[in-house]
Amino acid sequence: MPGEIHSRVQFHDCTVTELLTGEEAVIRFDTSGGFTNMNKLTLIAPEIIKREGEIVGSYWLYQELYRIDNGYELHVLFYGENMPELIVRCEDILAEEE
């Protein structure tokens, strides 16, 4: 179980301020409503499986993290109009405070 990474992927009630995708997917947060100081999440070598709704401006509500053969699969449900959703497979996950 990816416990160490899971403990770092706790952005409940943080507002997404930016979502950039490319060789890495970068999500930045306004953490003032949340329970963490980590305001940047980087997904290494992302493969976006599902991206629905307007994620930027929504609140991170709930996540599930799964270990897969070559990394992780992250499922995120956001609180916002039509409950945006993001599912990404990636090789690694980095959470940091900028």
Side-chain angles (χ1 to χ4, degrees):
M1 191 63 198
E4 183 190 340
I5 284 186
H6 194 269
S7 68
R8 287 183 273 156
V9 183
Q10 298 293 338
F11 295 98
H12 185 74
D13 288 345
C14 295
T15 307
V16 177
T17 58
E18 187 175 39
L19 173 58
L20 306 171
T21 54
E23 289 182 19
E24 298 177 341
V26 176
I27 306 172
R28 286 190 171 86
F29 301 93
D30 172 352
T31 59
S32 58
F35 305 93
T36 181
N37 292 325
M38 300 290 182
N39 60 0
K40 180 182 177 188
L41 185 67
T42 304
L43 307 175
I44 308 297
E47 176 191 351
I48 295 176
I49 307 301
K50 183 177 185 179
R51 181 177 176 177
E52 275 184 9
E54 189 53 51
I55 292 169
V56 174
S58 298
Y59 295 91
W60 183 293
L61 188 62
Y62 177 76
Q63 80 279 335
E64 292 178 357
L65 183 65
Y66 303 97
R67 192 81 170 95
I68 57 174
D69 288 345
N70 59 342
Y72 301 94
E73 185 170 300
L74 176 65
H75 297 228
V76 186
L77 181 65
F78 298 90
Y79 182 77
E81 190 175 340
N82 298 325
M83 301 300 280
E85 196 175 345
L86 181 67
I87 299 175
V88 182
R89 289 184 183 141
C90 59
E91 289 178 9
D92 203 2
I93 298 174
L94 306 173
E96 56 195 312
E97 187 175 353
E98 281 190 314

